[in-house]
Amino acid sequence: MKHTTYKKLILSTLAMAICSSLNAAETTKTKVENKKGIDFERIVVTGATGKGTTVMASSVSVSTISADQIEVAAPRSSAEAFRNIPGVRAEASGGDGNANLAVRGLPVAAGGAKFMQIQEDGLPILQFGDIAFGNTDIFLRIDSTMASIDAIRGGSASTLATNAPGGIINIVSKNGKSEGGSVATTIGLDYDSTRTDFEFGGDINDSTYFHFGGFYRQGEGVRDTGYTGNKGGQIKANITKEFNAGYVRLYFKHLDDTTTAYLPMPVYADGSSVEGFDASTGTPHTPYHTSMITTDGAGNGRLADMRNGMSPKVDSLGFEAAFDLGNDWSVENRMRISRTKGSFTGPFPESIQGSQGLADSIAGAGATLTYANGPQAGNAYTADNLMRIHSFDVEMTNLDFMVNDFKLTKTMNDTSFIFGLYNSSQTIQQSWLWNAYLYEVKGQDAALVDVTAADGTEFSDNGVIAYGVPAWGNCCTRNYDLQYEVSAPYAAFSTSFDNINVDGSVRFDSGTATGTFAGAAQSSVDMNGDGSIHQIETSISNVNNADANNVNYDWSYVSYSLGANIQINDDLAAFGRISKGATANADRLAFGKIDAAGVAKDEDIYDEVEQLELGVKFRQDNLSVFATAFFAQTQEQNFEATSQRFFDREYESKGIEIESTYYVGNFDVRANLTWTDSEITKDVVNPSVVGNTPRRQADVVYSITGRYNFNEGSAGVNVIGTTDSFAQDNFDQTDPNALILDGYVQVNAFAQYRLSDAFSVSLNINNVFETVGITEAEDATAASAKTIIRARSIQGRSTTLSLKYDF
């Protein structure tokens, strides 16, 4: 394995931390009041097992990131904020959504957040975190209504949430119990963006309080699309009524936003920019290609807009209640109904090839190329390279979601028992409506290119070379109409005696899947409506609804978790946990894992994860450390749209996760580091990859945030880093041409100055040194450092200025 020195360094660091902690246990007898650093006295709420337990007394790896801490990190998306969570690897290069999230070496074989659950106020946003083109973070926006982010890795998340064996990220909203509000306007100084955030909350009377807020923004975004790619906003509101024995809360969310979906782009294998395509600011998006003619999921003509990007539309209504029933019984219920839909649209480079070779492969030897539009429309195209673009054009017509989580708690002295029932209903209705185009290799204002055969036959129409994607076997015109029902009773206990806390939990998940899915059939259609059938109209892809495949299967599995924590003194504790959980697969089983009768095999339906954790928590004076060693064995079935590959694998990962803080006067430092050693231990489809490191899994990822606080404000720097990783894992990684994604360090900066008690100005710089950091690549090998590959990088430098008024 690579980076052996990192392993030795981190193992020795953890050993020294534990030894020094144990030595300090003999002398550290001070109380914990007013201590800075990690808030070990915070009550664990997200993923808790039983009665309220402090972080110090809990056997769960849990972290909280405040709104102030997120501001210093200068994130441009929710996924960029998640990079500051210990143990989480967030590939935050897709814009405001479409991120890939992994935790503690659990794999990202396709995309999304399969083994983690993203929640808002204690309930999942979607039931499945890896719906193709419907990643959960697309339907999430972080704004000034957020109070904090709670995160649990492993542990009890396996049993107190469905499809969350790796962990939970919970966005906690402000509730207005503390009266106040703010209005802030943020403008981009070196890119086109204007955004206003607002929020306010307070008392209605002695027992009722409320909070509402949201944001609206518009602009081109951080890359040069040539049009307004980001436009929309969100409104959230809640109202709480307190009673003598509890409370009732109603909350509402309306999200209607459009953001550019950044996809892979041409870049050299060493991360440098291809001529005419800046890796930091360029994108295949172009004002010369905004409209697309396709057929819809029913075969009717349709005009789509490339500028739609990721366009989530969510209306949700939720209910939350908690009451003390007397006699040491309490009840809690959370419910949400969400009406969710959207689209995912973007240009995906299927390949970058030599211009003449690609032209000849489409229209035969001697084919010619001309600009289809742009300033040189009609002129010969003579550049060396050309991009074949597949339009990822996905309509998510219905992702409605209903969820209810009921729990009853009985407390007896230092012991509590939870009995709960979770139910959810998830709809997945999608249509994939893809075309193929030719683009010039250019990162700003790229023109489309037409191809003509030697005999004069036109093999394109204004840059369209196919109504479908023949380079991928016309695979990807399809419909999904699927319904998933989940029910999960669960039980948990926690008890304490002397300085030891023990907790355990078990969950029985069962579900049913019904519906249909339909693939493509080829036919001739007059797509442009001119009354003639041209060459590219002789074989267009339509959804073949007449030959839809039924879906009708069910599944069930049991999860458990058992943990113990020993508090050695006020400032030192150690814990251990063993867990087994699972996550169910959904739409990605279609077109390969569901038979003609609509049935899927149990081993394909859900993937199990077994985990072991050992950790220590320590604080002394100005230092706080939370370190966890982990081991996980993971099964995975998956399907990747861009490669059209199914996965049937098992993985093993082990490592160390460290969260720490240190204060010196007005200066504080927060540092997180995760070392992971992960490998493929079984592959049914391709056994030759056993022993490989999972793709994009770096040995070390870390974040460091330093901030200086002074009377009139604060200033800080946030550093995000990763070591090298393999771009792919489905080949011989000892091949000298294996594509390695270089490690990188991204520096972000933040400064705030209060002009008065209520008014402040802030400067925020994301990626100060304009580092190119490749988070994913479609290619597996590169013959040289100057081989052109298709990859996705973090965004280049972006600077914002914010004016904020607090009241």
Side-chain angles (χ1 to χ4, degrees):
M1 294 295 291
K2 56 189 185 301
H3 303 306
T4 302
T5 55
Y6 277 110
K7 298 179 186 179
K8 293 179 179 178
L9 172 64
I10 297 164
L11 285 170
S12 61
T13 300
L14 181 63
M16 286 188 293
I18 294 174
C19 290
S20 64
S21 301
L22 291 173
N23 291 333
E26 298 301 318
T27 59
T28 305
K29 302 296 184 180
T30 59
K31 298 295 182 181
V32 298
E33 294 88 31
N34 302 318
K35 288 203 173 182
K36 296 180 179 180
I38 301 172
D39 187 1
F40 287 131
E41 299 311 306
R42 183 179 74 257
I43 300 296
V44 177
V45 177
T46 301
T49 55
K51 64 180 182 178
T53 304
T54 65
V55 174
M56 183 61 86
S58 171
S59 57
V60 176
S61 294
V62 57
S63 302
T64 294
I65 305 176
S66 69
D68 288 343
Q69 293 165 12
I70 291 173
E71 194 171 18
V72 175
R76 296 288 181 259
S77 66
S78 58
E80 288 196 8
F82 297 160
R83 293 184 304 182
N84 293 278
I85 300 173
V88 173
R89 176 168 59 91
E91 297 173 359
S93 56
D96 214 334
N98 194 33
N100 302 320
L101 302 176
V103 59
R104 292 182 173 179
L106 302 190
V108 181
K114 178 173 181 175
F115 295 98
M116 294 192 71
Q117 185 176 99
I118 301 178
Q119 299 181 347
E120 282 187 298
D121 297 314
L123 290 175
I125 297 172
L126 295 171
Q127 187 58 81
F128 303 97
D130 66 337
I131 297 172
F133 300 101
N135 297 13
T136 306
D137 68 320
I138 292 176
F139 304 93
L140 170 68
R141 297 291 184 268
I142 291 179
D143 59 24
S144 59
T145 65
M146 185 204 70
S148 65
I149 298 176
D150 287 351
I152 281 184
R153 286 83 65 196
S156 59
S158 299
T159 53
L160 292 186
T162 291
N163 292 350
I168 298 169
I169 297 176
N170 183 28
I171 311 302
V172 180
S173 300
K174 297 176 182 177
N175 58 32
K177 195 165 187 178
S178 298
E179 184 169 350
S182 65
V183 176
T185 295
T186 301
I187 58 173
L189 298 183
D190 51 7
Y191 71 107
D192 179 24
S193 178
T194 303
R195 170 170 169 153
T196 296
D197 286 73
F198 63 95
E199 55 92 14
F200 178 69
D203 293 337
I204 296 176
N205 55 41
D206 290 344
S207 61
T208 308
Y209 46 93
F210 72 96
H211 191 271
F212 75 92
F215 76 93
Y216 186 84
R217 51 89 178 275
Q218 70 175 38
E220 181 181 18
V222 296
R223 292 188 178 271
D224 297 323
T225 62
Y227 53 78
T228 299
N230 299 339
K231 187 176 182 178
Q234 172 176 265
I235 296 176
K236 294 173 66 177
N238 61 70
I239 184 170
T240 305
K241 171 66 175 178
E242 290 188 346
F243 301 90
N244 290 335
Y247 71 91
V248 174
R249 177 172 298 141
L250 299 177
Y251 51 90
F252 167 77
K253 168 182 166 179
H254 173 72
L255 171 63
D256 187 348
D257 195 23
T258 295
T259 61
T260 302
Y262 299 126
L263 294 168
M265 59 187 179
V267 65
Y268 286 126
D270 63 3
S272 60
S273 296
V274 173
E275 183 179 356
F277 207 115
D278 192 313
S280 294
T281 61
T283 177
H285 297 83
T286 170
Y288 297 118
H289 185 204
T290 57
S291 64
M292 300 175 290
I293 299 173
T294 75
T295 56
D296 64 16
N300 302 309
R302 166 181 174 267
L303 185 64
D305 195 329
M306 185 71 81
R307 293 169 295 187
N308 285 342
M310 295 176 285
S311 296
K313 293 176 173 58
V314 181
D315 287 295
S316 64
L317 184 66
F319 166 85
E320 178 182 326
F323 285 93
D324 184 344
L325 302 178
N327 196 28
D328 295 322
W329 286 93
S330 62
V331 64
E332 178 182 319
N333 195 80
R334 299 172 187 260
M335 181 275 294
R336 181 188 297 135
I337 298 174
S338 299
R339 299 288 178 246
T340 304
K341 61 182 180 179
S343 63
F344 187 106
T345 315
F348 179 87
E350 178 274 334
S351 60
I352 297 101
Q353 300 184 36
S355 298
Q356 192 60 51
L358 180 53
D360 291 350
S361 71
I362 296 170
T368 58
L369 296 166
T370 56
Y371 283 95
N373 57 19
Q376 300 189 64
N379 294 334
Y381 181 81
T382 58
D384 292 339
N385 295 311
L386 195 61
M387 288 192 292
R388 175 157 49 198
I389 294 289
H390 288 172
S391 58
F392 281 2
D393 184 1
V394 179
E395 287 187 345
M396 294 177 278
T397 53
N398 188 342
L399 292 180
D400 289 355
F401 182 49
M402 187 284 295
V403 58
N404 192 88
D405 192 4
F406 171 86
K407 63 178 68 172
L408 192 64
T409 303
K410 172 65 174 179
T411 302
M412 297 182 292
N413 298 321
D414 293 325
T415 302
S416 64
F417 298 91
I418 288 179
F419 307 95
L421 178 62
Y422 174 92
N423 290 285
S424 73
S425 177
Q426 176 72 69
T427 302
I428 301 178
Q429 291 181 2
Q430 287 188 350
S431 295
W432 296 14
L433 310 165
W434 300 4
N435 286 348
Y437 304 84
L438 292 180
Y439 278 32
E440 65 176 323
V441 182
K442 191 176 178 182
Q444 184 176 8
D445 298 338
L448 277 71
V449 178
D450 277 327
V451 58
T452 304
D455 63 3
T457 302
E458 296 178 348
F459 273 72
S460 62
D461 183 6
N462 198 30
V464 185
I465 58 172
Y467 295 103
V469 286
W472 286 348
N474 286 317
C475 63
C476 300
T477 298
R478 54 178 61 175
N479 274 353
Y480 297 86
D481 186 358
L482 304 170
Q483 188 71 36
Y484 298 88
E485 309 289 337
V486 174
S487 180
Y490 58 91
F493 80 92
S494 66
T495 187
S496 61
F497 47 93
D498 295 330
N499 59 342
I500 297 175
N501 283 63
V502 178
D503 68 85
S505 50
V506 63
R507 185 185 189 95
F508 177 74
D509 275 278
S510 61
T512 61
T514 56
T516 62
F517 60 92
Q522 301 303 114
S523 62
S524 61
V525 178
D526 179 13
M527 293 295 292
N528 63 10
D530 67 355
S532 300
I533 299 295
H534 300 275
Q535 194 282 330
I536 66 167
E537 296 173 325
T538 59
S539 180
I540 71 104
S541 295
N542 267 315
V543 177
N544 187 14
N545 290 309
D547 192 29
N549 200 123
N550 288 319
V551 175
N552 186 14
Y553 64 85
D554 54 37
W555 73 89
S556 64
Y557 59 84
V558 176
S559 303
Y560 65 83
S561 185
L562 180 65
N565 184 90
I566 178 169
Q567 190 159 345
I568 299 168
N569 61 29
D570 286 341
D571 296 318
L572 177 65
F575 69 94
R577 177 169 293 275
I578 184 171
S579 306
K580 181 179 181 180
T583 186
N585 295 300
D587 56 303
R588 292 180 186 266
L589 292 179
F591 300 98
K593 294 294 184 178
I594 299 175
D595 63 24
V599 178
K601 298 177 181 178
D602 284 347
E603 59 265 31
D604 294 334
I605 297 172
Y606 60 89
D607 299 323
E608 293 184 328
V609 181
E610 298 181 2
Q611 297 178 82
L612 176 66
E613 303 164 70
L614 296 171
V616 61
K617 292 160 282 189
F618 167 70
R619 61 189 166 195
Q620 184 177 31
D621 299 327
N622 298 327
L623 174 67
S624 302
V625 178
F626 195 152
T628 306
F630 58 84
F631 175 80
Q633 293 179 319
T634 307
Q635 302 171 345
E636 183 174 35
Q637 295 280 345
N638 219 321
F639 171 78
E640 183 179 49
T642 56
S643 64
Q644 298 297 296
R645 287 189 296 140
F646 278 97
F647 299 85
D648 186 352
R649 288 177 173 174
E650 294 182 9
Y651 302 82
E652 186 176 285
S653 64
K654 57 182 176 292
I656 299 169
E657 168 192 290
I658 301 174
E659 177 182 9
S660 62
T661 64
Y662 187 73
Y663 285 77
V664 180
N666 293 327
F667 185 74
D668 64 86
V669 178
R670 296 177 180 272
N672 305 322
L673 183 147
T674 305
W675 165 69
T676 305
D677 181 0
S678 185
E679 69 174 327
I680 301 169
T681 56
K682 181 179 179 181
D683 192 307
V684 175
V685 178
N686 185 7
S688 66
V689 305
V690 171
N692 280 359
T693 301
R695 66 177 185 173
R696 310 201 298 265
Q697 178 61 63
D699 283 354
V700 178
V701 294
Y702 58 90
S703 69
I704 304 170
T705 302
R707 177 170 58 178
Y708 180 75
N709 301 287
F710 51 94
N711 291 336
E712 293 80 17
S714 63
V717 174
N718 170 252
V719 177
I720 302 290
T722 177
T723 56
D724 298 350
S725 63
F726 287 104
Q728 300 292 340
D729 53 23
N730 60 332
F731 71 107
D732 182 5
Q733 291 181 337
T734 63
D735 186 330
N737 292 327
L739 180 58
I740 303 293
L741 304 183
D742 291 336
Y744 62 88
V745 177
Q746 176 183 342
V747 178
N748 309 309
F750 165 83
Q752 180 190 57
Y753 187 81
R754 287 190 293 272
L755 300 174
S756 69
D757 289 342
F759 188 69
S760 62
V761 58
S762 302
L763 183 69
N764 181 307
I765 308 175
N766 185 286
N767 198 358
V768 174
F769 301 110
E770 204 151 61
T771 298
V772 174
I774 303 298
T775 65
E776 63 177 78
E778 300 302 313
D779 307 85
T781 60
S784 72
K786 295 305 177 184
T787 299
I788 297 177
I789 62 172
R790 297 161 298 149
R792 204 167 74 174
S793 172
I794 59 175
Q795 320 310 336
R797 180 171 55 246
S798 59
T799 307
T800 60
L801 182 70
S802 299
L803 302 176
K804 184 177 182 181
Y805 180 70
D806 294 286
F807 53 91

